[in-house]
Amino acid sequence: MSFSDSVPPWPDDLPVATTAVTDGGLINRALRWNELFGPWPDEVRARLAAQARLRRYGRRTQVLAHDRQARELLCVVSGCLEVGCVDAEGRKFVHGLLGPGHIAPLVRLLEDVPLPYDYHAHEDSVIVHLGCEVVLEVLGSQPSLWREVARLALQRQRYSLATLHERALGGIAQRLVVTLLRLAAFYGNSEPEGLALRVRLSQHDLAAMLGVSRQTINREMGELIAQGVLEATYNRIVIKDLERLQALARWP
């Protein structure tokens, strides 16, 4: 599940996790391939890169743990960033998974906006931290760049509205199918046995995405497996019949 519909592909041969590339080099590449900053002029990205910091996080580590309200943008270099929250009763809800090329949270460009979301490394991840102040300074000096911010914000609004529509009108089975298709669109990897998701997902993770119990997910996944649509093992999902999954996602 992802906020954006048009993230530029991260080069397969980019050695993001090795020491052969300096932190400065990774920051420059991350900004060049970022969904927001990619179209910006080279000199502007260089200005941002000079103020950015690179951080590495182990799986399930909280990002911005020192200050949940820090006004920083998070650019994913490698791995996967989980956007989620916990309600008053301790139930976890995952709003999205962001892979390489994605950025969050745009709303922190606004002032005095309390945010309920937390950010965790869903996998071992490399993240670029960029202070909102320097981004706002650039936008103030080159107002035309706000166009890219508006474009991305509108894409995410469309995603949020689609999610609300699904939660209001779709059954659990259909919502699960739509979620799997969105994940496949961004994390699918063609293999001999089918379309494998490159991100580790447990039934608990899927339950948190859909706001249902793990038992419900277990039942619905079992139906898809029995139909030959999916193959699922621990933290690994392979879509065996993509056309059938797409057909199941269509509204009556």
Side-chain angles (χ1 to χ4, degrees):
M1 179 161 51
S2 169
F3 292 117
S4 176
D5 295 321
S6 58
V7 180
W10 193 267
D12 293 335
D13 59 349
L14 187 59
V16 296
T18 70
T19 56
V21 180
T22 66
D23 283 3
L26 286 178
I27 290 172
N28 284 320
R29 295 187 187 194
L31 296 184
R32 186 170 72 247
W33 287 94
N34 185 265
E35 58 183 335
L36 175 61
F37 301 124
W40 290 21
D42 291 344
E43 62 273 16
V44 172
R45 287 199 304 271
R47 180 178 171 185
L48 297 177
Q51 301 296 321
R53 307 185 324 276
L54 195 76
R55 295 288 183 268
R56 293 170 173 82
Y57 296 92
R59 184 171 183 261
R60 301 301 189 190
T61 303
Q62 184 173 357
V63 181
L64 297 178
H66 67 290
D67 182 1
R68 296 177 64 232
Q69 301 300 321
R71 294 189 67 201
E72 295 183 1
L73 299 180
L74 306 172
C75 304
V76 183
V77 181
S78 66
C80 184
L81 185 66
E82 179 184 291
V83 184
C85 61
V86 177
D87 67 15
E89 298 179 359
R91 291 174 300 191
K92 180 181 178 182
F93 175 69
V94 175
H95 187 57
L97 297 176
L98 305 180
H102 289 258
I103 186 171
L106 287 182
V107 70
R108 295 199 180 187
L109 291 173
L110 302 175
E111 295 182 2
D112 301 323
V113 179
L115 295 174
Y117 296 113
D118 288 315
Y119 303 87
H120 290 80
H122 187 78
E123 308 280 357
D124 292 346
S125 301
V126 179
I127 307 291
V128 170
H129 291 246
L130 186 58
C132 289
E133 292 80 5
V134 65
V135 178
L136 289 170
E137 288 176 4
V138 167
L139 291 169
S141 63
Q142 299 194 42
S144 63
L145 297 179
W146 276 107
R147 178 177 57 189
E148 296 302 322
V149 178
R151 175 191 57 81
L152 186 54
L154 289 172
Q155 286 181 347
R156 295 189 175 179
Q157 182 187 34
R158 179 174 62 181
Y159 166 83
S160 296
L161 290 174
T163 300
L164 288 173
H165 181 80
E166 291 155 10
R167 289 182 68 87
L169 301 178
I172 297 300
Q174 189 175 48
R175 288 169 53 200
L176 172 60
V177 167
V178 170
T179 297
L180 290 172
L181 287 171
R182 285 179 177 157
L183 288 165
F186 290 93
Y187 303 108
N189 186 47
S190 294
E191 298 184 2
E193 63 268 35
L195 191 64
L197 301 186
R198 294 192 307 272
V199 60
R200 289 192 290 182
L201 284 171
S202 66
Q203 291 186 358
H204 179 77
D205 292 326
L206 287 169
M209 289 180 182
L210 296 175
V212 298
S213 68
R214 187 183 63 80
Q215 291 77 11
T216 299
I217 291 297
N218 180 273
R219 183 179 65 250
E220 298 299 338
M221 289 285 288
E223 289 289 336
L224 293 173
I225 292 170
Q227 295 176 41
V229 177
L230 294 182
E231 179 181 285
T233 56
Y234 181 70
N235 285 338
R236 174 177 165 84
I237 296 174
V238 178
I239 298 173
K240 306 285 290 183
D241 190 339
L242 181 60
E243 290 186 1
R244 174 62 176 159
L245 196 66
Q246 292 169 334
L248 292 171
R250 299 191 186 104
W251 296 98

